[in-house]
Amino acid sequence: MSSIILIGFMGSGKTSLGIRLSYRLRRTMTDTDYYIEQKEGRSIAEIFAKEGEEAFRRLETECLKRLIREGGEQIISTGGGLALREENRRLLRRLGVTVYLRARPETIYERLKNDTSRPLIQTRDPEKSIRELLKERAPVYEAAAERIVDVDGRDFETVLEEIVSFGILEEGEGADEDTCD
Ligand code: S3P
């Protein structure tokens, strides 16, 4: 069993790339943030506000355990903090091949400067928060990943093809788009 798991900082493109990869390789996709929001029936911002970050982190671990139980080969995009827990990194190794989407703080800031959905960067100085958090997290992402892909200044298509070229998963046998069966 080997899924492709995308890790990396907020705004590095994990969800957008995950969706494209799932079409390209004809696999189902799970986005851990979306999964948690659906299961809990509220947004991540609400979970953080009402129960705190630790509670959210526990939900992330539960989500990974669930994915392991379900088995199969799929595309999994993760929340930016998921790979920071040692237990989660162990679970990720069981799930498949982890790919780190590496982005510079400037790239992240450009993408997220108007975002209001991510509690950890709703600070007085989001640019500084991004720089500091990324500095702390980058070594962990690098150590957790089997593959590293730089995303700065590159479009989705290029990054996608690089990941496909790793050959982690062959193109699956989903429904043919040209037929109606
Ligand atoms: C977080 C990243 C978010 C989300 C939550 C916490 C983090 O996901 O899980 O806000 O700790 O970096 P994205 O990386 O999809 O933004």
Tab-separated table of all heavy atoms in Angstrom, residues 4 17-27 75 157 160-165 169-174 177:
chain	number	residue	atom	x	y	z
A	4	ILE	N	0.383	8.746	-2.086
A	4	ILE	CA	1.262	9.912	-2.180
A	4	ILE	C	0.750	10.918	-1.162
A	4	ILE	O	-0.431	11.285	-1.180
A	4	ILE	CB	1.222	10.545	-3.588
A	4	ILE	CG1	1.742	9.556	-4.634
A	4	ILE	CG2	2.047	11.839	-3.612
A	4	ILE	CD1	1.693	10.113	-6.072
A	17	LEU	N	-2.572	21.025	-5.562
A	17	LEU	CA	-1.814	20.007	-6.296
A	17	LEU	C	-2.397	18.620	-6.101
A	17	LEU	O	-2.431	17.812	-7.030
A	17	LEU	CB	-0.375	19.982	-5.806
A	17	LEU	CG	0.590	20.690	-6.725
A	17	LEU	CD1	1.874	20.976	-6.004
A	17	LEU	CD2	0.855	19.850	-7.968
A	18	GLY	N	-2.880	18.378	-4.887
A	18	GLY	CA	-3.487	17.082	-4.594
A	18	GLY	C	-4.657	16.813	-5.521
A	18	GLY	O	-4.805	15.721	-6.075
A	19	ILE	N	-5.487	17.832	-5.712
A	19	ILE	CA	-6.654	17.685	-6.589
A	19	ILE	C	-6.189	17.376	-8.015
A	19	ILE	O	-6.672	16.432	-8.660
A	19	ILE	CB	-7.529	18.954	-6.562
A	19	ILE	CG1	-8.167	19.114	-5.185
A	19	ILE	CG2	-8.595	18.918	-7.650
A	19	ILE	CD1	-8.824	20.465	-4.937
A	20	ARG	N	-5.201	18.132	-8.487
A	20	ARG	CA	-4.696	17.891	-9.854
A	20	ARG	C	-4.067	16.513	-9.984
A	20	ARG	O	-4.256	15.813	-10.974
A	20	ARG	CB	-3.687	18.967	-10.227
A	20	ARG	CG	-4.336	20.314	-10.492
A	20	ARG	CD	-3.277	21.388	-10.622
A	20	ARG	NE	-3.804	22.634	-11.135
A	20	ARG	CZ	-4.433	23.555	-10.401
A	20	ARG	NH1	-4.650	23.346	-9.116
A	20	ARG	NH2	-4.868	24.667	-10.947
A	21	LEU	N	-3.317	16.111	-8.959
A	21	LEU	CA	-2.693	14.779	-8.999
A	21	LEU	C	-3.732	13.672	-9.021
A	21	LEU	O	-3.562	12.650	-9.686
A	21	LEU	CB	-1.841	14.580	-7.748
A	21	LEU	CG	-0.339	14.846	-7.818
A	21	LEU	CD1	0.261	14.621	-6.431
A	21	LEU	CD2	0.341	13.940	-8.844
A	22	SER	N	-4.806	13.901	-8.274
A	22	SER	CA	-5.820	12.852	-8.210
A	22	SER	C	-6.486	12.673	-9.581
A	22	SER	O	-6.796	11.557	-9.980
A	22	SER	CB	-6.834	13.109	-7.101
A	22	SER	OG	-7.902	13.882	-7.541
A	23	TYR	N	-6.667	13.761	-10.320
A	23	TYR	CA	-7.202	13.642	-11.687
A	23	TYR	C	-6.184	12.965	-12.593
A	23	TYR	O	-6.504	12.066	-13.364
A	23	TYR	CB	-7.547	15.022	-12.260
A	23	TYR	CG	-8.885	15.533	-11.795
A	23	TYR	CD1	-8.988	16.613	-10.943
A	23	TYR	CD2	-10.064	14.904	-12.232
A	23	TYR	CE1	-10.230	17.070	-10.516
A	23	TYR	CE2	-11.300	15.369	-11.814
A	23	TYR	CZ	-11.376	16.448	-10.957
A	23	TYR	OH	-12.604	16.890	-10.546
A	24	ARG	N	-4.955	13.420	-12.491
A	24	ARG	CA	-3.900	12.928	-13.386
A	24	ARG	C	-3.668	11.425	-13.187
A	24	ARG	O	-3.512	10.683	-14.146
A	24	ARG	CB	-2.629	13.733	-13.097
A	24	ARG	CG	-1.413	13.321	-13.823
A	24	ARG	CD	-1.502	13.799	-15.292
A	24	ARG	NE	-0.183	13.866	-15.867
A	24	ARG	CZ	0.519	12.817	-16.231
A	24	ARG	NH1	-0.001	11.617	-16.089
A	24	ARG	NH2	1.732	12.952	-16.733
A	25	LEU	N	-3.649	10.986	-11.931
A	25	LEU	CA	-3.334	9.577	-11.652
A	25	LEU	C	-4.595	8.742	-11.414
A	25	LEU	O	-4.509	7.552	-11.146
A	25	LEU	CB	-2.398	9.481	-10.438
A	25	LEU	CG	-1.022	10.128	-10.633
A	25	LEU	CD1	-0.219	10.086	-9.328
A	25	LEU	CD2	-0.240	9.435	-11.743
A	26	ARG	N	-5.729	9.405	-11.512
A	26	ARG	CA	-7.016	8.731	-11.343
A	26	ARG	C	-7.118	7.977	-10.022
A	26	ARG	O	-7.380	6.765	-9.984
A	26	ARG	CB	-7.266	7.777	-12.505
A	26	ARG	CG	-7.329	8.498	-13.825
A	26	ARG	CD	-7.562	7.535	-14.923
A	26	ARG	NE	-7.629	8.233	-16.196
A	26	ARG	CZ	-8.215	7.761	-17.260
A	26	ARG	NH1	-8.832	6.600	-17.207
A	26	ARG	NH2	-8.223	8.433	-18.368
A	27	ARG	N	-6.851	8.717	-8.985
A	27	ARG	CA	-6.963	8.156	-7.642
A	27	ARG	C	-7.867	9.056	-6.823
A	27	ARG	O	-7.969	10.249	-7.106
A	27	ARG	CB	-5.604	8.128	-6.929
A	27	ARG	CG	-4.515	7.478	-7.692
A	27	ARG	CD	-4.693	5.995	-7.678
A	27	ARG	NE	-3.814	5.418	-8.672
A	27	ARG	CZ	-3.276	4.235	-8.574
A	27	ARG	NH1	-3.542	3.469	-7.543
A	27	ARG	NH2	-2.504	3.780	-9.518
A	75	ILE	N	-4.252	9.891	-3.043
A	75	ILE	CA	-3.502	11.131	-2.871
A	75	ILE	C	-3.994	11.774	-1.576
A	75	ILE	O	-5.205	11.928	-1.379
A	75	ILE	CB	-3.768	12.122	-4.039
A	75	ILE	CG1	-3.675	11.436	-5.408
A	75	ILE	CG2	-2.858	13.341	-3.934
A	75	ILE	CD1	-2.350	10.871	-5.765
A	157	GLU	N	1.386	22.798	-13.203
A	157	GLU	CA	1.651	21.740	-14.186
A	157	GLU	C	3.075	21.179	-14.049
A	157	GLU	O	3.294	19.971	-14.057
A	157	GLU	CB	1.479	22.311	-15.600
A	157	GLU	CG	0.359	21.768	-16.445
A	157	GLU	CD	-0.403	20.592	-15.887
A	157	GLU	OE1	-1.391	20.755	-15.159
A	157	GLU	OE2	0.011	19.469	-16.205
A	160	LEU	N	3.481	19.295	-10.820
A	160	LEU	CA	2.732	18.046	-10.941
A	160	LEU	C	3.528	16.996	-11.734
A	160	LEU	O	3.659	15.844	-11.318
A	160	LEU	CB	1.413	18.337	-11.648
A	160	LEU	CG	0.514	17.152	-11.888
A	160	LEU	CD1	-0.768	17.344	-11.104
A	160	LEU	CD2	0.149	16.985	-13.330
A	161	GLU	N	4.081	17.423	-12.853
A	161	GLU	CA	4.837	16.471	-13.678
A	161	GLU	C	6.067	15.954	-12.939
A	161	GLU	O	6.443	14.801	-13.087
A	161	GLU	CB	5.231	17.105	-15.025
A	161	GLU	CG	4.067	17.283	-15.985
A	161	GLU	CD	3.223	16.007	-16.184
A	161	GLU	OE1	3.783	14.897	-16.207
A	161	GLU	OE2	1.991	16.134	-16.286
A	162	GLU	N	6.674	16.811	-12.146
A	162	GLU	CA	7.833	16.337	-11.385
A	162	GLU	C	7.410	15.235	-10.404
A	162	GLU	O	8.072	14.205	-10.286
A	162	GLU	CB	8.501	17.502	-10.637
A	162	GLU	CG	9.763	17.028	-9.919
A	162	GLU	CD	10.572	18.151	-9.261
A	162	GLU	OE1	10.331	19.341	-9.570
A	162	GLU	OE2	11.446	17.815	-8.442
A	163	ILE	N	6.284	15.443	-9.748
A	163	ILE	CA	5.825	14.428	-8.784
A	163	ILE	C	5.444	13.132	-9.513
A	163	ILE	O	5.794	12.035	-9.080
A	163	ILE	CB	4.644	14.956	-7.935
A	163	ILE	CG1	5.098	16.181	-7.126
A	163	ILE	CG2	4.114	13.872	-7.003
A	163	ILE	CD1	3.992	16.891	-6.367
A	164	VAL	N	4.765	13.278	-10.646
A	164	VAL	CA	4.383	12.084	-11.422
A	164	VAL	C	5.646	11.324	-11.843
A	164	VAL	O	5.698	10.090	-11.798
A	164	VAL	CB	3.538	12.478	-12.654
A	164	VAL	CG1	3.339	11.278	-13.581
A	164	VAL	CG2	2.179	13.019	-12.218
A	165	SER	N	6.690	12.065	-12.188
A	165	SER	CA	7.914	11.420	-12.684
A	165	SER	C	8.613	10.575	-11.614
A	165	SER	O	9.432	9.729	-11.932
A	165	SER	CB	8.887	12.475	-13.243
A	165	SER	OG	9.562	13.110	-12.176
A	169	LEU	N	3.135	6.278	-7.950
A	169	LEU	CA	1.911	5.589	-8.359
A	169	LEU	C	1.789	5.658	-9.881
A	169	LEU	O	2.028	6.711	-10.467
A	169	LEU	CB	0.672	6.295	-7.770
A	169	LEU	CG	0.380	6.132	-6.288
A	169	LEU	CD1	-0.862	6.951	-5.906
A	169	LEU	CD2	0.146	4.675	-5.954
A	170	GLU	N	1.434	4.559	-10.466
A	170	GLU	CA	1.138	4.574	-11.902
A	170	GLU	C	-0.257	5.159	-12.094
A	170	GLU	O	-1.044	5.203	-11.150
A	170	GLU	CB	1.156	3.137	-12.460
A	170	GLU	CG	2.512	2.463	-12.387
A	170	GLU	CD	3.592	3.271	-13.083
A	170	GLU	OE1	3.330	3.779	-14.190
A	170	GLU	OE2	4.684	3.436	-12.508
A	171	GLU	N	-0.555	5.543	-13.331
A	171	GLU	CA	-1.893	6.056	-13.609
A	171	GLU	C	-2.925	4.962	-13.304
A	171	GLU	O	-2.778	3.837	-13.766
A	171	GLU	CB	-1.985	6.448	-15.077
A	171	GLU	CG	-3.061	7.433	-15.361
A	171	GLU	CD	-2.926	7.982	-16.771
A	171	GLU	OE1	-1.985	8.760	-17.011
A	171	GLU	OE2	-3.752	7.596	-17.600
A	172	GLY	N	-3.933	5.299	-12.523
A	172	GLY	CA	-4.934	4.306	-12.145
A	172	GLY	C	-5.936	4.055	-13.259
A	172	GLY	O	-5.858	4.659	-14.325
A	173	GLU	N	-6.879	3.183	-12.963
A	173	GLU	CA	-7.830	2.821	-14.015
A	173	GLU	C	-9.213	3.359	-13.725
A	173	GLU	O	-10.187	2.628	-13.740
A	173	GLU	CB	-7.851	1.306	-14.183
A	173	GLU	CG	-6.522	0.818	-14.700
A	173	GLU	CD	-6.512	-0.662	-14.951
A	173	GLU	OE1	-7.503	-1.328	-14.604
A	173	GLU	OE2	-5.509	-1.128	-15.491
A	174	GLY	N	-9.300	4.632	-13.482
A	174	GLY	CA	-10.595	5.265	-13.217
A	174	GLY	C	-11.416	5.295	-14.492
A	174	GLY	O	-10.977	4.866	-15.545
A	177	GLU	N	-12.731	9.398	-19.345
A	177	GLU	CA	-13.518	10.627	-19.479
A	177	GLU	C	-14.289	10.698	-20.806
A	177	GLU	O	-15.266	11.417	-20.935
A	177	GLU	CB	-12.597	11.843	-19.397
A	177	GLU	CG	-12.261	12.189	-17.962
A	177	GLU	CD	-11.058	13.108	-17.863
A	177	GLU	OE1	-10.846	13.902	-18.774
A	177	GLU	OE2	-10.355	13.011	-16.856
